[in-house]
Amino acid sequence: MNDFPALTYLFAECRTTCPLRPQVTSLVLFALLCEDDDVVYLEIRYIDYANGQAEGDHLWLTLEEAKQAALEDHGITEEDWRPLSAREIARIDRTIE
């Protein structure tokens, strides 16, 4: 059994339009493992997820903070999130610098 935390990779379509970012249609919460084995979450905001067109991103220290912000800004509820497939994770991972 390893001591690494479980990594979470999630996708959701926006339910509401955020006044600050009206072009965003979906979000990804992408777990990143830090050198000290902590996990942070990169929120990637997409204009067009299928074509990989991102609007921007933000780093959250916890998954709970990221989900709360997604609820407040984009109306995304717990039921809206779905896990990313291994293929989606690999595609997104290649784009992170």
Side-chain angles (χ1 to χ4, degrees):
M1 181 174 194
N2 66 37
D3 294 330
F4 294 109
L7 300 180
T8 302
Y9 306 95
L10 301 171
F11 169 86
E13 292 185 7
C14 298
R15 285 184 174 255
T16 60
T17 301
C18 176
L20 297 174
R21 298 175 187 90
Q23 67 277 32
V24 173
T25 61
S26 58
L27 297 182
V28 163
L29 297 180
F30 200 86
L32 300 172
L33 187 60
C34 300
E35 289 180 13
D36 61 2
D37 293 336
D38 283 344
V39 177
V40 296
Y41 291 88
L42 181 64
E43 171 192 283
I44 307 171
R45 298 181 299 272
Y46 285 93
I47 295 169
D48 184 348
Y49 178 73
N51 290 308
Q53 185 180 6
E55 180 273 346
D57 57 42
H58 184 81
L59 196 61
W60 295 99
L61 297 180
T62 69
L63 183 58
E64 293 75 24
E65 287 177 319
K67 286 182 173 181
Q68 184 61 39
L71 176 62
E72 292 170 6
D73 294 344
H74 303 282
I76 298 171
T77 67
E78 188 66 36
E79 295 77 30
D80 295 322
W81 295 106
R82 70 159 175 84
L84 291 174
S85 69
R87 186 177 193 166
E88 289 173 304
I89 292 168
R91 182 188 72 177
I92 293 167
D93 191 46
R94 286 191 302 270
T95 67
I96 297 173
E97 297 177 6

